[in-house]
Amino acid sequence: NRRKRQAQKIARLHEKIANQRRDFLHKHSTQLIRENQAVMVENLNIEGIKQNRKLAKSVSDIGWGMFVNMLVYKAKWASKSVYKIDRFFPSSKICNQCGAKNTPKLSERTFICCGCGDKVFRDLNAAKNIRDKGLLDLSSGGHSEANVRRANISPVSTGEL
């Protein structure tokens, strides 16, 4: 009897956490789609990242795949676009100011450029590089399907830009 009650408590707790995660993802994906004409995301190899014992739980808890799926269907509803940038693009190794290439360790959270000396939070630098890569490739080649493929960007959802 006690065992059943405890199992029910744990099940309710897991359901609450799942609902909180889903709510968070819905709110942020809706906000991103409302505020932007196009959203660029990095095409991450989530299954490969999960192989790393130290990152597996963190990556699983985030729900990246669910977030991208929400972005895609909400973009279709709103006639906006979601583009995936190639996973091999070195977004965290390029300075977003001068374009110099560094190879920082994964443990280093601050990106220090060897070219211009710029110091910036590593994830912010990568996000700016992903944004710039997507915008540059889309503007230089137009919005046709062939040009998007040639630029290593896969259109997940296309609408009017």
Side-chain angles (χ1 to χ4, degrees):
N1 220 3
R2 267 194 238 161
R3 184 180 222 161
K4 268 186 178 178
R5 278 196 308 248
Q6 195 63 29
Q8 286 174 342
K9 279 184 184 179
I10 291 172
R12 279 194 300 269
L13 186 62
H14 281 289
E15 184 181 7
K16 180 180 177 182
I17 292 168
N19 289 339
Q20 286 174 335
R21 179 180 302 123
R22 201 172 310 114
D23 180 57
F24 175 82
L25 294 176
H26 271 296
K27 286 178 180 175
H28 286 281
S29 61
T30 301
Q31 180 183 6
L32 275 173
I33 294 300
R34 279 188 187 146
E35 294 175 356
N36 300 288
Q37 292 287 320
V39 178
M40 313 310 181
V41 293
E42 195 170 17
N43 186 13
L44 297 174
N45 180 11
I46 300 298
E47 295 305 316
I49 294 172
K50 285 181 184 178
Q51 299 297 319
N52 183 335
R53 292 179 317 159
K54 295 182 180 182
L55 297 175
K57 188 171 182 343
S58 301
V59 170
S60 298
D61 284 347
I62 292 171
W64 179 250
M66 187 186 305
F67 183 66
V68 171
N69 289 339
M70 287 179 185
L71 282 174
V72 169
Y73 81 76
K74 290 177 183 186
K76 284 182 183 177
W77 283 350
S79 297
K80 303 216 177 157
S81 301
V82 174
Y83 296 98
K84 288 187 178 180
I85 305 297
D86 184 29
R87 74 177 65 166
F88 299 109
F89 174 67
S91 60
S92 60
K93 296 178 182 177
I94 298 173
C95 176
N96 71 315
Q97 296 293 320
C98 69
K101 199 170 186 181
N102 280 0
T103 51
K105 295 178 186 171
L106 190 58
S107 61
E108 295 174 9
R109 302 311 306 156
T110 303
F111 180 87
I112 303 170
C113 179
C114 62
C116 64
D118 187 36
K119 291 183 183 180
V120 66
F121 183 59
R122 180 186 181 130
D123 294 338
L124 180 62
N125 182 59
K128 288 179 181 179
N129 284 330
I130 290 168
R131 178 202 61 201
D132 294 345
K133 167 86 167 132
L135 292 175
L136 177 70
D137 290 345
L138 289 174
S139 66
S140 67
H143 301 299
S144 73
E145 194 77 20
N147 288 333
V148 169
R149 258 189 254 114
R150 190 172 41 241
N152 290 330
I153 297 177
S154 56
V156 179
S157 159
T158 54
E160 295 296 329
L161 279 180

